[in-house]
Amino acid sequence: GTTEKPILLNNITDAEDFISGAEVVVIGFFQEPESPEATQFRLAAGRVPEVPFGLSTSAAVLSHYGVAANTITLFRRVDNDRRDLDMNNKDVDAEKMTRFIRMNELRLVTEYNPVTAIGVMQSSLQFNLLLITDKMSPKHPNRMRTYQAAAELFKGKILFILVDSNLKSNERVVSFFKLKKSQLPALAIFHTPDEEQDALSLDEVSVERVQEFCNRFLQ
């Protein structure tokens, strides 16, 4: 059977455990579990199966997170940040909630596309590392595992992004770092405040190479 979505969070401990249990979680804070807003929230939960959804109507939990009733909050571990969506006096339905989640669900490795680009721009992390690679390559699953392992080491410091070089919409990203198709796969790093950047062409993605490249740039 499927676990009940969203999970009811009755107290602060439940909520804290829930948030620390996944890279990205969404909690709906409501006064009434059966309100129209809560119903729309349940619909949204069904549309985003890979993100855990929690729901709380506890006054203590709402005040602990400093939210008013009818707020949806997305918590993400990658930059210890959160995003709030206030549903009061706004006509927020399941569709808008789903879009809000898709835009803000940054993970340890976030795949870059027109929707996640918005969340990437708004991340509180000033350093972005991009792995520009062909997702169709037989080496991709392995590269991805390595990249994910490296991302763990820079959690809260650098936002790790995956850019699929096959996508037409990503050509701008590749040319931004002055890379040619022949130089891929490549790592590219970017410091948002001053647009400082560096790129490195590589055949093999290893945790050491990624670490070295990042540390050199951070220094």
Side-chain angles (χ1 to χ4, degrees):
T2 51
T3 38
E4 198 46 52
K5 270 185 94 167
I7 291 168
L8 212 54
L9 306 169
N10 298 311
N11 53 52
I12 294 168
T13 312
D14 282 359
E16 286 180 335
D17 289 348
F18 180 73
I19 292 166
S20 61
E23 280 193 55
V24 178
V25 304
V26 175
I27 300 180
F29 299 100
F30 300 102
Q31 225 146 13
E32 287 299 319
E34 299 310 323
S35 65
E37 291 89 351
T39 305
Q40 290 295 314
F41 182 68
R42 287 193 181 86
L43 279 175
R47 292 183 186 180
V48 190
E50 70 282 17
V51 175
F53 277 63
L55 187 150
S56 190
T57 55
S58 143
V61 174
L62 268 73
S63 103
H64 179 75
Y65 291 104
V67 289
N70 294 337
T71 302
I72 289 161
T73 302
L74 178 141
F75 295 88
R76 55 189 192 203
R77 200 194 297 166
V78 61
D79 54 359
N80 285 323
D81 212 346
R82 58 181 264 193
R83 290 283 181 264
D84 294 350
L85 177 66
D86 178 2
M87 299 172 65
N88 290 313
N89 351 324
K90 280 199 199 82
D91 145 43
V92 175
D93 56 9
E95 196 147 317
K96 284 187 186 150
M97 282 181 226
T98 307
R99 184 170 165 71
F100 165 76
I101 294 159
R102 289 281 179 236
M103 262 165 48
N104 290 294
E105 56 164 344
L106 298 182
R107 296 163 185 278
L108 282 174
V109 174
T110 298
E111 185 163 343
Y112 190 84
N113 60 43
V115 178
T116 59
I118 300 166
V120 166
M121 309 284 180
Q122 295 173 346
S123 163
S124 60
L125 298 179
Q126 298 193 333
F127 293 96
N128 292 344
L129 178 73
L130 290 72
L131 172 60
I132 305 170
T133 185
D134 173 1
K135 271 183 79 179
M136 304 311 277
S137 156
K139 293 182 175 173
H140 181 69
N142 221 2
R143 280 180 188 149
M144 214 30 211
R145 270 194 296 277
T146 309
Y147 195 54
Q148 188 91 29
E152 283 282 356
L153 304 174
F154 292 96
K155 197 165 57 208
K157 281 203 199 102
I158 299 177
L159 186 62
F160 276 55
I161 300 161
L162 174 76
V163 178
D164 183 1
S165 53
N166 278 319
L167 293 183
K168 204 107 185 94
S169 58
N170 286 338
E171 281 172 5
R172 281 202 4 248
V173 179
V174 180
S175 61
F176 176 80
F177 290 103
K178 304 179 180 59
L179 289 163
K180 298 182 186 63
K181 267 272 199 294
S182 60
Q183 294 171 296
L184 301 179
L187 288 173
I189 197 162
F190 183 73
H191 183 233
T192 321
D194 58 10
E195 303 202 348
E196 180 96 18
Q197 52 164 282
D198 193 12
L200 169 74
S201 192
L202 40 87
D203 326 314
E204 277 322 308
V205 178
S206 74
V207 174
E208 296 73 33
R209 293 291 296 277
V210 174
Q211 221 177 336
E212 206 178 290
F213 180 67
C214 291
N215 286 334
R216 206 176 56 228
F217 189 80
L218 289 174
Q219 278 156 16

